[in-house]
Amino acid sequence: QKEVEQDPGPLSVPEGAIVSLNCTYSNSAFQYFMWYRQYSRKGPELLMYTYSSGNKEDGRFTAQVDKSSKYISLFIRDSQPSDSATYLCAMSEGGGADGLTFGKGTHLIIQP
Amino acid sequence: DSGVTQTPKHLITATGQRVTLRCSPRSGDLSVYWYQQSLDQGLQFLIQYYNGEERAKGNILERFSAQQFPDLHSELNLSSLELGDSALYFCASSGYTSYEQYFGPGTRLTVT
């Protein structure tokens, strides 16, 4: 079992829909949970990070973490064609001395 | 633009050769991370340097090595290259904490 599982998709939805992207993980030591967006052949772009369990909202994006279930989600409201990209979840134990553990990414397509 | 720069953008070389990838972190960031992204493995953490010192190691092969210089730029050296080393190599930087990492545009390495 991989440390972080993420459905690769593709996930195709119409413009304006609410998108739900998810990851599950096995390492209970993870404390920080990140979402990155990656356009084709570009570097990952940090969208938001969350510490421990709870919700965090930033514009059209909402991140949720449920540590008891080892399950994290990213919701995108009013999706736009420009949101079409690969979304990567990432996790860290924190503390300053570790790299991020990534899911393999979900390819999202927003149809105009 | 994340503020992290990487050179070169593309590199084509033959098996058995040695290459050096270069990264300059965002202004003020002391930590540099190296990641490898391939289709089958996803984004994998290789190594972290903080202010010139190695801080954490991930799935880095013995044929690979890195260093961080006094001006905080970093180099990743890949030697005895194999076809399987063909991948995107990303550099990221952060402040003291490891969870808020900003990625560069990457170097695409092709080994023929």
Side-chain angles (χ1 to χ4, degrees):
Chain A
Q1 180 191 10
K2 292 192 180 297
E3 271 197 298
V4 180
E5 299 277 2
Q6 188 176 8
D7 187 334
L11 176 62
S12 183
V13 301
E15 182 176 355
I18 296 176
V19 175
S20 173
L21 303 166
N22 312 292
C23 289
T24 59
Y25 64 95
S26 58
N27 184 355
S28 58
F30 287 142
Q31 296 286 345
Y32 293 88
F33 304 89
M34 281 66 67
W35 285 96
Y36 283 82
R37 179 174 62 196
Q38 186 176 24
Y39 294 110
S40 181
R41 299 187 175 216
K42 302 290 186 185
E45 172 193 0
L46 179 63
L47 290 174
M48 54 200 308
Y49 68 87
T50 310
Y51 172 69
S52 194
S53 286
N55 293 359
K56 186 174 184 179
E57 186 173 320
D58 185 359
R60 296 185 296 113
F61 298 91
T62 300
Q64 284 186 355
V65 175
D66 181 351
K67 288 192 69 181
S68 63
S69 302
K70 296 191 178 66
Y71 187 87
I72 71 170
S73 301
L74 177 71
F75 298 95
I76 306 174
R77 290 183 300 281
D78 188 24
S79 56
Q80 305 294 312
S82 59
D83 294 328
S84 298
T86 296
Y87 288 79
L88 299 151
C89 63
M91 305 181 188
S92 168
E93 295 181 19
D98 66 318
L100 301 180
T101 301
F102 281 86
K104 284 200 171 181
T106 298
H107 182 44
L108 175 65
I109 301 168
I110 307 298
Q111 302 165 336
Chain B
D1 184 355
S2 67
V4 179
T5 61
Q6 288 187 247
T7 57
K9 286 186 178 179
H10 304 280
L11 204 46
I12 302 175
T13 189
T15 53
Q17 295 298 305
R18 172 189 170 94
V19 297
T20 298
L21 313 183
R22 182 190 169 102
C23 167
S24 291
R26 293 189 318 159
S27 177
D29 283 353
L30 299 180
S31 267
V32 169
Y33 309 78
W34 286 98
Y35 291 84
Q36 179 192 60
Q37 187 175 39
S38 61
L39 280 174
D40 55 341
Q41 295 293 324
L43 204 53
Q44 299 270 313
F45 167 63
L46 296 178
I47 196 163
Q48 176 197 4
Y49 276 79
Y50 177 81
N51 203 20
E53 300 290 325
E54 182 184 306
R55 179 164 273 196
K57 246 180 178 177
N59 301 321
I60 189 165
L61 299 172
E62 284 193 13
R63 301 183 285 109
F64 297 181
S65 64
Q67 53 185 329
Q68 187 179 27
F69 294 86
D71 67 351
L72 300 178
H73 91 270
S74 178
E75 293 180 356
L76 179 66
N77 300 297
L78 315 176
S79 61
S80 303
L81 285 167
E82 302 175 358
L83 295 177
D85 297 327
S86 296
L88 270 167
Y89 290 84
F90 289 105
C91 165
S93 75
S94 75
Y96 180 78
T97 59
S98 61
Y99 51 84
E100 196 173 352
Q101 295 183 24
Y102 294 88
F103 281 73
T107 294
R108 180 171 293 277
L109 173 67
T110 302
V111 182
T112 61

